[in-house]
Amino acid sequence: MLSSIKTMFLILAATFTFGFTYFCLKSDIFQELYLAKFNSKLQHRQSIFYRTNPDCHPAEAIKCKNELFRLMNKLRKRVSLDQDENLPKCPEIPPDLGPLDIKFAYNMSLLKIISQNPNLQPGGHSRPKYCTALQKIAIIIPFRNRESHLRTWLYYMHPFLQQQQADYGVYVVEQTEDTLFNRAKLMNVGYSVAIKDYNYTCFIFTDVDIIPMDGRNLFRCSDNPRHMANSVDKFNFKLPYNDIFGGIVAFTKEQFIKVNGFSNVFWGWGGEDDELFQRVVAMGMKVERPDQTIARSKMISHKRDPGNESTGKSFHLIKKAHERLHKDGLNSLIYTIISITSHKLYTKITVDIGNGEDASSTEGILNLFNL
Ligand code: UD2
Ligand code: MN
């Protein structure tokens, strides 16, 4: 009798321990704790790296940067992105897509967004469960001081991308210094980091404040670079001018390399998008755009951010876009990664991209590129 009570007790205890362990492993809290530990390890590695490589700071850092990447990626790769390659291909057009109700009134908490997206992997990655996606997409967002916009973006865009059966990762690229914002250079940094993270085939560069209003606006790359913010409420759902190329653009890896990425010398608001358009044309490509009804999008209304004033120099720069193309872009990109951290909803890249001193005057910029 005593021994059967003992056995029952043991079975109960074992079931409880097993159940509890399973629950912990699955739960958000555990995953968050795991990530926090993982991130602190990452930062620790970085600080050791900088201590033991005192010369490794800004400008001449290309060699060191690669070494640092190698170290950090070794750790980050532990968060597995392996996929079962035997799954069937996903359909060209995912099912059940249509108009979406987008309102900016919510005060979204990160925890709520996390709980609504249980299938996300650390770093804001996701891919369809039952099929192999047609493209592997990195979403790159330039960022500084727009926390509430980012929350709104994450709230709407994770479900949007998952509905589209996308295999994707979200990269938020934050400029650390208080100096003039450089959206284009941040995009180049996002591309350079993401390409080392996973075998992405498509790069979508998007503002943090634009949300598509229809699931049929497929976040995909095509035979030519795509402009996907061609029907924004702010512009009455029309193109304000023909060559506009701002807001959201999509490039395959090959297309982005062909144009040498964005220019790095556009500090402050404006012009960098038009310059990229010129690069696309100069390299013999066309710009594609989705149907304007399907591409309807909402932009969160906002004032110009402090630190993103227009310098009035972009006009001169755009004029010389063709000449600068091969010397200014991915192949001349200089930056220092401060940290790369895997949040549940996105990968955050904090970066020092300099302060544009080399480009503090139009003459300075033109001299820099011998123009
Ligand atoms: C337009 C373009 C945008 C860009 C910009 C000129 C459209 C729909 N949008 O948007 O793509 O070409 O003009 O540079 O055509 N940001 C921060 N913090 C800052 C400043 C900017 O996070 O302090 C980021 C953020 O992702 C933002 C983006 O940069 O959405 C563009 O800046 P903006 O929203 O101030 O520019 P906007 O709305 O005039
Ligand atoms: Mn905006």
Side-chain angles (χ1 to χ4, degrees):
M1 178 66 184
L2 200 65
S3 79
S4 66
I5 290 177
K6 243 188 197 167
T7 318
M8 255 177 59
F9 178 76
L10 276 175
I11 292 173
L12 268 174
T15 318
F16 176 76
T17 315
F18 179 77
F20 184 70
T21 315
Y22 182 78
F23 169 77
C24 286
L25 285 173
K26 277 285 186 194
S27 79
D28 269 356
I29 299 171
F30 179 82
Q31 289 186 21
E32 286 299 309
L33 281 176
Y34 170 76
L35 269 183
K37 192 158 170 247
F38 166 80
N39 282 331
S40 78
K41 234 187 204 171
L42 233 158
Q43 308 228 307
H44 181 62
R45 283 234 175 162
Q46 286 177 66
S47 61
I48 293 180
F49 180 82
Y50 279 125
R51 232 180 297 136
T52 49
N53 296 271
D55 302 335
C56 191
H57 222 257
E60 34 117 355
I62 290 181
K63 212 176 81 213
C64 317
K65 202 177 63 197
N66 288 338
E67 178 59 13
L68 180 60
F69 262 133
R70 205 181 55 72
L71 277 172
M72 299 208 303
N73 276 343
K74 226 163 99 186
L75 260 176
R76 302 183 74 244
K77 286 272 152 59
R78 283 199 209 151
V79 179
S80 166
L81 294 169
D82 294 342
Q83 180 169 31
D84 176 359
E85 295 295 343
N86 296 323
L87 291 172
K89 278 209 165 108
C90 297
E92 251 333 303
I93 310 285
D96 306 326
L97 301 177
L100 303 165
D101 184 23
I102 309 293
K103 295 193 185 86
F104 292 142
Y106 305 121
N107 188 12
M108 292 105 183
S109 85
L110 285 175
L111 273 179
K112 185 174 166 200
I113 307 172
I114 289 170
S115 69
Q116 286 173 346
N117 292 280
N119 295 325
L120 283 182
Q121 296 193 26
H125 290 273
S126 177
R127 61 168 168 252
K129 258 192 186 151
Y130 304 111
C131 57
T132 306
L134 304 179
Q135 302 185 359
K136 291 180 163 55
I137 304 164
I139 313 267
I140 317 282
I141 307 177
F143 183 82
R144 186 167 73 186
N145 281 334
R146 293 274 196 111
E147 273 71 19
S148 78
H149 291 188
L150 179 61
R151 273 204 295 276
T152 305
W153 191 94
L154 295 164
Y155 176 84
Y156 283 114
M157 295 309 286
H158 273 306
F160 174 91
L161 291 160
Q162 286 167 54
Q163 269 265 294
Q164 293 191 353
Q165 299 183 323
D167 180 344
Y168 71 96
V170 175
Y171 295 82
V172 174
V173 194
E174 181 178 45
Q175 181 172 342
T176 47
E177 324 80 80
D178 296 336
T179 46
L180 275 181
F181 195 69
N182 189 330
R183 174 180 180 268
K185 194 167 180 184
L186 292 174
M187 298 298 201
N188 283 343
V189 172
Y191 167 86
S192 307
V193 172
I195 198 95
K196 296 195 175 93
D197 212 24
Y198 189 48
N199 47 347
Y200 290 113
T201 54
C202 173
F203 295 80
I204 300 194
F205 301 93
T206 177
D207 285 359
V208 73
D209 53 19
I210 302 184
I211 311 289
M213 295 162 70
D214 196 312
R216 290 171 295 177
N217 182 3
L218 292 182
F219 265 43
R220 298 253 180 93
C221 284
S222 182
D223 294 342
N224 282 289
R226 301 182 70 216
H227 176 229
M228 296 158 70
N230 58 326
S231 184
V232 181
D233 60 349
K234 181 184 170 186
F235 302 128
N236 264 330
F237 302 108
K238 293 191 186 110
L239 286 183
Y241 56 99
N242 270 341
D243 297 354
I244 188 168
F245 203 47
I248 313 172
V249 293
F251 283 76
T252 62
K253 181 179 164 189
E254 293 72 27
Q255 290 160 0
F256 200 60
I257 290 174
K258 205 166 173 183
V259 297
N260 197 15
F262 280 83
S263 162
N264 296 310
V265 299
F266 282 77
W267 298 90
W269 185 92
E272 82 299 336
D273 48 345
D274 299 328
E275 210 266 6
L276 186 63
F277 185 96
Q278 295 303 324
R279 287 175 178 236
V280 170
V281 176
M283 292 314 292
M285 295 184 282
K286 289 194 195 108
V287 165
E288 290 184 18
R289 293 189 169 109
D291 179 281
Q292 244 171 350
T293 343
I294 286 171
R296 286 163 75 89
S297 318
K298 270 193 183 175
M299 189 174 129
I300 304 174
S301 61
H302 61 82
K303 296 205 178 83
R304 183 79 46 85
D305 302 83
N308 195 25
E309 295 78 17
S310 165
T311 59
K313 289 171 191 159
S314 48
F315 179 70
H316 297 278
L317 288 170
I318 296 166
K319 271 207 311 203
K320 302 269 183 178
H322 296 217
E323 295 163 51
R324 230 183 27 255
L325 195 157
H326 298 289
K327 349 181 192 172
D328 163 25
L330 289 177
N331 67 357
S332 65
L333 179 65
I334 293 176
Y335 60 96
T336 305
I337 296 288
I338 306 299
S339 65
I340 303 180
T341 44
S342 293
H343 292 245
K344 183 97 185 196
L345 298 168
Y346 55 90
T347 298
K348 172 88 151 280
I349 303 163
T350 309
V351 63
D352 177 351
I353 54 171
N355 55 18
E357 254 167 32
D358 49 359
S360 54
S361 69
T362 308
E363 287 72 23
I365 297 165
L366 300 181
N367 287 340
L368 193 65
F369 295 102
N370 301 323
L371 296 176

